Amino acid sequence: MIQGHSIGALSKRTGVKVTTIRYYEGRALLPDPGRTDGGQRRYGDAEMDRLSFIAHARQLGFDLDAIAELIALQETPQIAHGDAHRIAAGRLVQVRDRLERLRRLEAELVRVVAACDGHPDGRPCQVLNALADHGACDGEH
């Protein structure tokens, strides 16, 4: 009989949904596990570690293609530094770009909220006006 963790136990220990685990298997990010005589999937500690790696990479915002590259680099750690650095540096650029967009969005929302005191006084609602007319924004966001 094959030993190991059930897919439910793997899900519980890693916080990754069962359907997502199956999806990762379909994407070949996780190897197809061994099965019991009854057909139940059984995962070893190596699969648990791989799934934890994938989950953490997803939390950091890496897409599945980048994760597949990083997994492949784990097979050759002695030469992985340059490529792993390139992938992580690319993700960092994406995060910084998003932060800049969020800062612009925050500034625009501060401006829109400040233009409206939230009390009806017969004037048109400045929040609704701002949402209806993108041209009324102070800049790109």
Side-chain angles (χ1 to χ4, degrees), residues 54-64 66-67 91 94-95:
I54 295 167
H56 189 213
R58 292 295 292 148
Q59 289 170 349
L60 290 171
F62 288 95
D63 64 33
L64 295 181
I67 292 171
R91 179 64 189 134
Q94 292 171 340
V95 168

Side-chain angles (χ1 to χ4, degrees), residues 102-116:
L102 287 171
R103 284 185 195 99
R104 289 192 309 266
L105 177 61
E106 177 189 31
E108 184 59 23
L109 286 171
V110 164
R111 187 189 70 75
V112 168
V113 168
C116 177

Side-chain angles (χ1 to χ4, degrees), residues 39-119:
Q40 185 183 34
R41 292 174 166 94
R42 301 306 288 184
Y43 299 85
D45 290 339
E47 288 82 15
M48 177 93 60
D49 291 344
R50 170 73 62 86
L51 186 56
S52 293
F53 178 92
I54 295 167
H56 189 213
R58 292 295 292 148
Q59 289 170 349
L60 290 171
F62 288 95
D63 64 33
L64 295 181
D65 291 335
I67 292 171
E69 282 187 71
L70 291 165
I71 288 170
L73 291 171
Q74 284 185 311
E75 304 298 322
T76 57
Q78 64 280 10
I79 62 170
H81 296 291
D83 288 335
H85 182 270
R86 173 188 52 78
I87 293 166
R91 179 64 189 134
L92 180 58
V93 167
Q94 292 171 340
V95 168
R96 286 179 173 159
D97 288 347
R98 183 160 188 213
L99 285 170
E100 182 54 37
R101 285 192 311 273
L102 287 171
R103 284 185 195 99
R104 289 192 309 266
L105 177 61
E106 177 189 31
E108 184 59 23
L109 286 171
V110 164
R111 187 189 70 75
V112 168
V113 168
C116 177
D117 63 9
H119 300 290

